Amino acid sequence: MSIPEQLKRAKHHQRQGQLAEANNLYQQIIKQDSRHAEAHFLMGSLHAQSGSIKTAISWLYKAVQLAPKQAQYRYYLAECYKSNSEFYKAIHYYKQVIASESDNATLLMKLAETYQADHQLDLAITSAEDALKIDSNMVEALNFLGNIYTDINSDKATHYFKKALDIAPDVAEIHYNLGNN
């Protein structure tokens, strides 16, 4: 069976939750072509899917080395570092992805959330504000800023919650947050 056929079957097994079968096929591909970046990436995603984050990181790191221009690989590596509480490394890779996709508000919010988890609130605020420059109606960013400003006892919290409610008046969480700031 050719590598493209193996890859197709492995992806199918992975989507079906048949991780052992997918793992075996990815291993076969890598044995045939040790520089097959996509197989390394998919091994990383498979291990992340099964909860083996440290193993996922090593596979994803190798995929990034093999295909440094693949932003998707860097994104998933950042996600795994974040879920493993390795915030400095997650921030590093999110920034690399943002450098190639600078108009992506969702990525900026991922970076903001990681800065917050790492207790770098000034940088979290800056990233969320940058997301709002791209999408001024991004309720997630407005609510996020409201929560951060609540945490640091700033009067700015009310402004962000009210603006979020102007856009999404039916979101109970924002009403709750506004009432508790």
Side-chain angles (χ1 to χ4, degrees):
M1 183 181 337
S2 70
I3 287 179
E5 290 169 341
Q6 287 175 311
L7 200 56
K8 183 178 177 181
R9 288 184 76 190
K11 289 177 182 180
H12 174 76
H13 285 304
Q14 187 172 354
R15 279 192 304 275
Q16 298 300 315
Q18 301 164 336
L19 302 184
E21 293 86 346
N23 181 61
N24 290 339
L25 287 167
Y26 294 141
Q27 290 283 1
Q28 287 176 25
I29 294 167
I30 293 166
K31 191 178 270 188
Q32 293 171 55
D33 179 3
S34 64
R35 300 192 52 76
H36 197 286
E38 186 178 8
H40 282 85
F41 168 73
L42 291 166
M43 281 291 286
S45 71
L46 180 144
H47 284 283
Q49 183 179 349
S50 68
S52 301
I53 300 302
K54 286 185 179 186
T55 304
I57 287 170
S58 65
W59 284 107
L60 293 168
Y61 184 79
K62 180 69 173 178
V64 167
Q65 288 178 315
L66 293 171
K69 293 183 181 180
Q70 280 288 344
Q72 178 186 22
Y73 297 177
R74 292 178 186 284
Y75 173 79
Y76 279 97
L77 182 57
E79 288 283 291
C80 285
Y81 277 131
K82 181 181 176 187
S83 71
N84 204 43
S85 300
E86 295 182 67
F87 303 122
Y88 176 78
K89 292 177 182 177
I91 289 165
H92 172 77
Y93 285 102
Y94 280 133
K95 284 180 170 182
Q96 287 184 359
V97 177
I98 289 166
S100 66
E101 298 180 32
S102 59
D103 63 341
N104 189 323
T106 301
L107 279 173
L108 287 163
M109 283 309 301
K110 291 282 190 179
L111 181 61
E113 292 164 0
T114 307
Y115 277 132
Q116 180 188 31
D118 198 35
H119 309 290
Q120 298 184 57
L121 298 185
D122 288 344
L123 293 171
I125 289 167
T126 300
S127 292
E129 288 173 343
D130 287 347
L132 286 173
K133 288 175 188 171
I134 295 166
D135 181 358
S136 62
N137 292 323
M138 187 177 205
V139 173
E140 175 189 358
L142 294 166
N143 191 46
F144 178 87
L145 286 166
N147 284 326
I148 284 192
Y149 283 121
T150 296
D151 291 346
I152 60 175
N153 297 315
S154 171
D155 295 335
K156 293 181 180 181
T158 300
H159 163 77
Y160 285 105
F161 288 136
K162 285 183 176 180
K163 190 167 180 182
L165 285 172
D166 287 344
I167 299 163
D170 298 330
V171 178
E173 176 187 357
I174 302 169
H175 286 281
Y176 176 81
N177 293 339
L178 178 60
N180 286 313
N181 94 36

